[in-house]
Amino acid sequence: MSNKHEERATMIAAGDLQEFVPFGRDYCRHHPNALNLQLRELQPASELWSSDGAAGLVGSFQEVTIHEKQKESWQLRKGVSDVGEVDYDEELYVAGNVVIWSKGSKSQASTVYKAFTVDSPVLQALWCDFTIPQEKCGKDDSNNEMVEKCICILQSSCINVHSIEGKDFVAALPFQVANVWPTKYGLLFERSSSSHEVPPSPPREPLPTMFSMLHPLDEITPLICKSGGRLCHVNNSITIWILKFSQQVGTPQHLATSSSLTAHLRSLSKGESPVASPFQNYSSIHSQSRSGSSPSVHSRSPSISNMAALSRSHSPALGVQSFSGVQRFNFSSNTQSPKRQNISHSPNNTSNDSFIVPETESIVPELCIDHLWTETIMNVRYEKNSQASKVFITTDLCGQKFLCFLVDSQLQLRCVKFQESNDKSQLIFGSVTSIQAKDAAPVEGIDTLLVLEGSGNLVLYTGVVRVGKVFIPGLPAPSLTMSNQMPRPSTPLDSVSTPSKPLNKHLAPLDEGVLLSPVPELRDSSKLHESSYIDDCTFQQLGTFIHSVRDPVHNRVTLELSNNTTVRIAIPEIATSELVKRCLQGIKSILPKEIAVQMLVKWYNAYNAPGGPSYHSEWNLFVTCLMNMMGYNTDRLAWTRNLDFEGSLSPVIAPKKARPSEIGSDEDWEYLLNSDYHRNFESHPLAGALGLDPLEISTLKEDFLHSLSLDSSTLLFSHIPAIFFVLHLIYEELKLNSLMGEGIRSLVFLLVQLARDLELEAYIDYYYRDYPALVKTSRQACIIEQVQTGFMHHPSFFSAEPPSIFQWLSSCLRGEGVQPYPYLPGICERSKLVVLVCTTRKASAVPVAGSQEAASGSVKSHTSVSNLAEKLVIWMTNVGFTLRDLESLPFGVALPIRDAIYRCREQPASDWPEAVCLLIGRQDLSKQAHEGNLPKSKSVMLSSDVPSGAEAEEEDDGMNDMNQEVMSLIWSEDLRVQEVRRLLQSAHPVRVNVVQMPEVSDHEYIEEKENRLLQLCQRTMALPVGRGMFTLFSYHPIPTEPLPIPKLNLTGRAPPRNTTVDLNSGNIDVPPNMACWASFHNGVAAGLKIAPTSQIDSAWIVYNKPKNADLANEYAGFLMALGLNGHLTKLATLNIHDYLTKGHEMTSIGLLLGVSAAKLGTMDMAITRLLSIHIPALLPPTSTELDVPHNVQVAAVIGIGLVYQGTAHRHTAEVLLAEIGRPPGPEMEYCTDRESYSLASGLALGMVCLGHGSNLIGMSDLNVPEQLYQYMVGGHRRFQAGMHRERHKSPSYQIKEGDTINVDVTCPGATLALAMIYLKTNNRSIADWLRAPDTMYLLDFVKPEFLLLRALARCLILWDDILPDSKWVDSNVPQIIRENSISRQATELPSSEDLNLETLAQARVYIIAGACLSLGFRFAGSENIAAFNCLVRDFSLPLPSPHHPFPTGHYNLETCLSVVLLSLAMVMAGSGNLKVLQLCRFMHKKTGGEMNYGFHLAHHMALGLLFLGGGRYSLSTSDSSIAALLCALYPHFPVHSTDNRYHLQALRHLYVLAAEPRLLVPVDVDTNTPCYALLEVTFKGTQWYEETTEEMMAPTLLPELHLLKQIRVKGPRYWELLIDLSKGMHHLKSILSKDGVLYVKLRAGQLSYKEDPKGWRSLLAQTVTHRNSEARAFKAVRRLERREMSETFELFQIRLVLEFFNSRSHQDKMGRNPSRGLFMNSEFLPVMKCTVDNTLDQWVQAGGDVSLRSYLSGQPAEECQSSMLACFLVYYAVATPGQLAAGGLEGSTSFSELLLKFRQLKMPVRTLLRLAPLLLGNPESMVW
């Protein structure tokens, strides 16, 4: 009977019984696959055989054969999620060719995550994580590896690997695979050794059995064995191997050398996902040879043995086919041994020892195994058939690790305890303990082990200690109990079996894995096993019994039943209440492990008995259970006897609640009178008002009080002091969590009882001060006899004075010396954190148990307060302190932390980590660290505001992808952006408005309309260049769609009938190929929309190639644009070659310029070779002359300049210098458009020697400046030196130049080359060469437009002399021209008749235009007001008056006006200035007369520059930018759309190289929308101005970054943010390159500038968090006034607040920064302090002094006064009576004597003032 009672008493109730069917099976039924037919055969056997009893069972065995077993299998694991801890199962189901990965939990339906169908039957499917080493980027990051989570599907000939990122790999298998396992390092394969394999010849080593694959792209390499000598272990023994990296160190003998990896076991108690745990570090091979056992075991769903974690092995093994005739990794067998000793010892004999055929290169092994442990065999006969069918690692409740392997034939589970050595260099294995078991599975979630005994019972073990039977509701319990004897409860590690070869102790402790050596296949175990099993289970033939245990996940496990159904149960947790969990964890850490396990087992049985307690009564049950284990009789103890357990109790407790009578007793009445409810009722004001007499409570019987004693034989009796101290530390820890108030009140009852019984007066007094109402009510003590006290173990860390975290903080704040504070590692983490944070001196926390390391504080005092606050905040982040933790801290403790956070929030550093920014409430900074772009959806949402009709029209104008939201903030007051879109759109027909005069016939009228359209088309064709500027880098293309290129519409519509006017009607002559360059520009404009950060690749570029040949010009422009934004480098070389061989001129131009721009200044040899093919001068003299089109040569020459920009490469410079003056050759070569080639050579030469000036190293013999001067002014041609002189011997038959230089051809190129070489050098001698002629004679020799270039070149050289005023502009004009220029008012004739007025007028406008252009370069992108005003004045100067027309000629005037307009646009680039926009619109409307294509091009380029990149970009003034702008804005514009004579039109797009992002867009971090914010920009001092500060309202274009010192987000609206450019510009550049997003955070109580422009609606209020803390403190004071304080926590917090503000460190801070203001309201603190002082003083005067005096003398105080007395003691920090007595205060006679003694007791003076009358014996009422 007692046995039965014990069984019942230790029964554990399992929860959540559910029938289990793999989700994949149901899903497969509907899967479109031929598998459906096969699955129908897998119906449960109960449906196939309706007969009863044994016949039905045997029939089901016969029906479900082993061959069918392969049809389906599955495995489960714990859900792995990036977002926190999730509790769901993942299932991997395999059937036929289909693998289904599903996810689901009991609360959530299963869903398919991925389904895979492969070509051949799936042999195995498994999860595996592959590690991809990352490149080390300068920092010593430990996380330099990336884990790729994958699923692996094994087929007969290959293995498919699918990563969750979407990557797919297929690895061919070089051999038949018998099995595959995932490890930490990758996959391990076992080669299937088929019977027909050719035996190896005598000298050859047999082929290896084990192989590894570290990544799907790596080769499969053999596994080698590290241990020297031969591996001759006894057959059938279990062997453990450790898996490590092998390192090759030079010679082959080191192939097997292990890298420094040591074993590191991770704890199983964290409930991590099985994929990573516990063998992330431990990868173990284990054998699963259960194929010979009873077929019923495999009839359902065999799972795959898994190698990533021993704990994740799954019950039935793979099908027989995997094992047929194979001895799986039998390392002890000679024929199949994978040992590699010969490789290690005979390096010279590689031909015989290589793993593969000698002719091929030897495969270097990547992993090796090292022997760790082998099971010692005691009885050879007994162990004959002992192969393990299942292996896993489990952890017991105290963290001890056991390796368990199930030996089927013996019905045994063998457990080996193992642990790390102290230096972590090796593993120590203990002896083997056997448990009778038919099956077993680890329950990781609660550190236990589920064992299925032979009798059919399910038993729970922790390690090798039996916990109890598992009762499963709904399943009949087995009727027989187990007959076998249980092993000892625990096996200590006394008899340690040392590893046969210990690991090297000097190796650094890194990760390793463990391998188990599997044992050979059992040949004929099925009969043996089946017969013994059937005999065992005869008594259960009629019932349903459990067959096997499989698929353990966390605390859930699947049971396979004998009727072929599966059910899933959950093993209950050890505790659910947070308080109980903490206490168990603390007690466990302090007790010896054996006692801790027994204690936990007893608690687990009591808690999880069938019909156990509810969540609310869990604590009551825990207290009862714990006190019983300590020796208390809880039935006799008053407060534990009355604990409510709510519901049926465990059998242990049930008898104690039984009452002798149902009618009640006197004890019930006494219990009611003693209850809190009765006390609260008596103190209610209504009771006093009604005059109710208080009831007399009869005191408890004396004999009942004193007859209680403790049983010293109980488990925990000797450890009561240690347990008490640990519970006290947990009590202190819970005080720091304001959410655990209920738990503290529960715990204090237990602590008071223990403190009374241990006679610890200091602790009782301490608890009384905290909870006066609770402590005084429980007076019952238990007597511990003197003899029993001797048995108690008093630990060394036990202190007589109670550790108090609040008191400790108070001492710190008052500046007193403090003792180290004790803490429990892992449990009292918050106490440790607060101790280390809240002190400015070095603090330390001493660990109570576990590790001996002292966690010394890293917070020390520093000179600057802000520095300390920053260190504090950063340190708190490092230890994982979050805002959530701060919210739950009591307000007094949190105040110093909040103060530090508040100070850091005001002025944070811009480079702080993200976690720090979140802690201080600066989400703007943390989000900035992510460097996110503006939400892409914003522009889409905003563009949808346009009406649908207009949207359809506008969808193809190429300007839809602009960020409207940002542009509406920049230009919020008008519709200038819509106006720009209207001016620049070229996709819609143009309006042709021609009035038909009466005398004009219809045919002539049509011609007139078409001529008008032809004029308008000159403008339309010029628009795309400007549109490209406007939409620059504004679009992120979709990789699956081609780039939309808006069509170039050259048709018109004539009002009033809106008839179409077309140029192709044949009525007028239209120039051939008129639109080819316009299409090219259209393609460039479309391509330049693509942002440089977009993700595009070579395939997408080729994918955009049009099928229609008419669009080839657009595609050519698209290629050039891709080069300008840096994407062309992704284009494969093969594709480049393919484009160039087509011979399409435009494509070649675009491609050559594009690749050159992408490789700017790199001297890339591949690109140089590509360009050289197109430049005859760079080819050897004997090379074949290629027919390269002229324009392609021009593009190639510019390309050479770009690739070699700034390098001063001698050979390139020499060739380009010669090419400027290349003479025309015989026939027609070099005769047409020579000007553009000469200009290109000059520009390229200027780029190569950019800014080098006279420092051209190694080029002095070339006389570069003199040669260029000659090209500029003319003279005799020099002898052509170099290897190309042969080429130029024959003169041209077309052009007769003689031996003089043709200045008209060479002058522009030479002039600009001089300008670029001497750019910004201020070289006056060279500049004087470029001065305009000052005599009429010399002026006649220079073309007026060359004067523009000379003036420009001279100003660029004298860079620092350029001044933004009219005087400086006029100073460039020679005196002769100034004196003789005709003013608008003057009509007199010039002073001399020799002067040519037309020449003078032309020279003047061109020189002024040149000076204006240089002004534009000098102040490009600066928005300089003086330069702007000067240029606006000059724009209006040359305009002729109607009465006195200028003799300059219309063409010259338009050219100069266009140049000045471009200069204006350069200065105001990106700003969208309204005045310049008006000028551009004025020029846009001029379409008649002399307005040709080139002028329209210039005007719309100016418009594009004005709105560069939609206001996000501006121009730079760096040398490289000026070179690019000189190419793009060359002041000679084409006459018609196909004109490339003087300048190649494609170069107009090189402005992109000068554009830089400079728009700063504040984005509100909370709403994620752009907003206005005030910036304070500080400029560095220069020679023109001192350091100055400007205020700007962002979004705004910043000045050039090199001019700035710092940028600050300013003002009361947003939190301040400083970007300091003196530390480097990288941070700001990265912000600007990512759309310029600067995250800002609105202060509390403020509105944005958009909602509240004037700032009149903002609330001048404190932030919410500060008000909360004030409000809480205020409520506490009000309760004190009403005398309703039942606990003193809040009063202690008020005391801490006051001490903090009075602390010296805080006073110092306020002294340094008086303007910063108080953290809390300055009026609030004094009011609160006075209120508390007055209330307590009134209490003392009203009779409280009597209670105080009796307390100080050690007498009990009155019950009604106890609460206020405790408040007084806490608030004034009064010492305990014992301390006062020890201090000798009683005998004091004078106040000064008291003062001295008080100082020693460290009590504040205000306390002394209140206690002095009492201590000095003054009977008068106290007056303060």
Side-chain angles (χ1 to χ4, degrees), residues 188-201:
L188 273 195
F189 297 97
E190 180 196 357
R191 184 175 60 84
S192 174
S193 53
S194 51
S195 54
H196 54 77
E197 200 173 87
V198 182
S201 53

Side-chain angles (χ1 to χ4, degrees), residues 238-254:
I238 304 292
T239 308
I240 302 176
W241 302 82
I242 196 160
L243 185 67
K244 302 188 281 192
F245 274 118
S246 65
Q247 281 182 331
Q248 182 172 4
V249 192
T251 53
Q253 71 246 30
H254 292 105

